[in-house]
Amino acid sequence: MPPKLTAIVHDAPEKHTATVIFMHGFGDSGAGWAPVGEQLSHYAPHIKFVFPNAPAIPIALNGGMLMPAWYDIRGSINQDKPQDETGMLRSRQQVMEVIREEIEVHGIPANRIVLGGFSQGCVLALLTGLTAEYRFAGLVALSGYMPMHTKIMNMVSDASKKTPIFWGHGDADQVVRYEYGKQSVELLEKHKYSVQFKTYHHMAHSSSPQELRDLLEFFKETIPAEVHLTAKV
């Protein structure tokens, strides 16, 4: 079994009733996205944010140099090229352990968990969220593309088919081209997935304040603060 992932965790400031597990992109770490969790928790204090760290693995594109990555990259990102499916599935197994811990140890049900990621992390979040036995509250896909696009729809679980998906992509992205994101969304919609697709004009391979505002709204829709009504005597 692959080693357990380490993670940057931003605990919910108030009663913890929902969790966001978010995977960073290639060459980054959980610390790169942790400030976003801290920022958003001011507006959604019931949410705990977990930012797993990818292990350092040899990257073929960089001559075998060890770099933080969820799977190997052998050339420029192109949906039609073979993907490192072995690496993707290994990382999926590791993320599933993070999810199970949240459910079994911390008592947060899958329908109160949003799984997401940026770039490589987006690819991993989609692979995990679409194939897991759990029905998550939502999936977040930022500036990424579909994993194993020629076979993923034969791998999806029934549980995933009613999971709402937020997809954000900049139309000036030179790393993961905007058209790859658009094609990925079209594939999901063809298979009856509900996708909220947001285009961010002039945004490169990054995020933006508007995207984070839209993300917060998605969290409020999918994992809202739970309101407990007191029965009148």
Side-chain angles (χ1 to χ4, degrees):
M1 178 177 289
K4 182 179 178 180
L5 296 173
T6 61
I8 303 294
V9 178
H10 185 82
D11 288 318
E14 297 180 5
K15 185 182 178 184
H16 174 210
T17 64
T19 298
V20 172
I21 300 170
F22 191 92
M23 275 69 73
H24 62 78
F26 172 70
D28 200 1
S29 71
W33 279 85
V36 172
E38 186 173 0
Q39 180 183 348
L40 296 184
S41 69
H42 290 299
Y43 305 97
H46 61 291
I47 299 176
K48 169 186 173 182
F49 288 87
V50 179
F51 300 96
N53 296 303
I57 62 172
I59 301 298
L61 179 64
N62 292 344
M65 183 184 297
L66 291 175
M67 296 189 70
W70 298 112
Y71 51 89
D72 191 14
I73 297 178
R74 300 179 178 125
S76 60
I77 293 172
N78 186 323
Q79 286 197 132
D80 298 322
K81 289 183 179 179
Q83 298 174 346
D84 175 20
E85 297 183 7
T86 301
M88 289 179 176
L89 292 171
R90 180 191 61 240
S91 290
R92 178 196 179 278
Q93 188 177 354
Q94 290 175 299
V95 171
M96 285 300 299
E97 288 303 310
V98 176
I99 294 165
R100 290 192 185 100
E101 181 175 328
E102 203 59 29
I103 294 169
E104 296 168 10
V105 177
H106 301 291
I108 302 299
N111 65 4
R112 295 287 294 169
I113 295 174
V114 169
L115 194 62
F118 173 81
S119 195
Q120 260 206 356
C122 163
V123 176
L124 179 57
L126 289 167
L127 175 61
T128 308
L130 294 175
T131 62
E133 68 268 28
Y134 301 115
R135 192 248 195 247
F136 296 106
L139 299 177
V140 170
L142 304 184
S143 303
Y145 53 95
M146 287 293 285
M148 308 184 197
H149 66 285
T150 60
K151 63 179 74 172
I152 184 67
M153 287 306 165
N154 294 322
M155 301 166 61
V156 297
S157 65
D158 288 339
S160 74
K161 292 180 178 176
K162 291 187 178 179
T163 301
I165 301 171
F166 176 93
W167 196 299
H169 215 120
D171 62 7
D173 194 329
Q174 297 297 314
V175 178
V176 178
R177 288 160 55 184
Y178 175 74
E179 67 186 78
Y180 294 160
K182 192 173 181 183
Q183 290 167 6
S184 297
V185 170
E186 289 170 355
L187 177 62
L188 287 163
E189 291 179 335
K190 178 182 175 182
H191 289 270
K192 309 302 182 187
Y193 281 88
S194 173
V195 186
Q196 185 183 146
F197 182 44
K198 295 279 190 178
T199 299
Y200 299 96
H201 299 296
H202 312 299
M203 188 176 85
H205 194 60
S206 61
S207 188
S208 71
Q210 184 58 55
E211 184 175 63
L212 296 182
R213 283 191 289 270
D214 293 338
L215 197 54
L216 179 61
E217 288 306 310
F218 181 73
F219 292 156
K220 288 180 176 179
E221 292 168 10
T222 55
I223 44 174
E226 293 182 326
V227 178
H228 298 284
L229 299 177
T230 303
K232 294 182 179 179
V233 179

